[in-house]
Amino acid sequence: MEIQKDIQNIIDYSHNFAEIMLNNGKEYYPFGAKIDNNGELIAVGYNDNETDFPESQKIINELTAEFEQELNNGRIRAYGLTYDVRVQTNSLKDKTDAILIDIYHRNSNDIPKYYFTYSWNEKNELVFGESFGMKK
């Protein structure tokens, strides 16, 4: 099934890249991945001509606009945006860091946002916790 394969490819790439960036520098800028009409995944970063340290929301907005235009024009069949968030994981309203992968596909309007929680242990190693999807 094309939709599930595209979603899994975006998740696999995005989670792996975010993990590498977290392990290398404990942070990362938002980034994207898109699936072209032939099913090939293409990694997409953002380059700001005005600053070396753009606001994350600006990157998310710019990548979203670019991807939406490509999706609406039929140049790609799916895309995903990946960025760091804080998410509530229990009834105590505790928040934790998470990788958020937000995927859109031309053939589905029912794809959840995927969250992969993480923390750092006492040895300063990246540890993944709960992962879940939430309806948009």
Side-chain angles (χ1 to χ4, degrees):
M1 181 181 232
E2 177 185 278
I3 296 170
Q4 288 303 324
K5 183 178 181 208
D6 290 346
I7 290 170
Q8 194 60 55
N9 284 343
I10 290 171
I11 289 173
D12 290 347
Y13 166 77
S14 300
H15 188 281
N16 186 51
F17 186 69
E19 181 177 357
I20 289 168
M21 297 305 290
L22 285 167
N23 277 319
N24 287 342
K26 294 217 188 269
E27 64 180 355
Y28 60 92
Y29 275 105
F31 63 90
K34 59 187 177 183
I35 305 285
D36 69 13
N37 291 316
N38 296 321
E40 182 180 340
L41 184 136
I42 301 161
V44 180
Y46 176 77
N47 184 26
D48 193 305
N49 294 328
E50 298 170 12
T51 178
D52 289 336
F53 305 104
E55 293 290 321
S56 291
Q57 192 58 54
K58 178 181 180 183
I59 297 170
I60 293 165
N61 294 345
E62 295 285 336
L63 288 175
T64 299
E66 178 184 324
F67 287 146
E68 278 296 308
Q69 183 176 24
E70 288 184 281
L71 194 67
N72 292 334
N73 291 338
R75 292 197 304 267
I76 61 173
R77 65 187 195 202
Y79 71 87
L81 289 168
T82 302
Y83 46 97
D84 205 46
V85 295
R86 301 271 301 156
V87 66
Q88 182 180 322
T89 57
N90 61 34
S91 60
L92 301 175
K93 299 191 178 189
D94 294 333
K95 289 193 173 185
T96 186
D97 292 312
I99 296 167
L100 168 62
I101 305 174
D102 192 5
I103 301 173
Y104 294 85
H105 199 285
R106 69 178 173 204
N107 296 326
S108 178
N109 292 322
D110 199 31
I111 302 170
K113 289 185 176 188
Y114 296 96
Y115 294 83
F116 301 88
T117 64
Y118 69 89
S119 60
W120 302 94
N121 69 15
E122 60 280 346
K123 294 180 182 176
N124 223 14
E125 297 167 326
L126 179 62
V127 177
F128 285 99
E130 181 181 5
S131 58
F132 55 92
M134 289 179 63
K135 274 183 104 67
K136 295 179 187 175

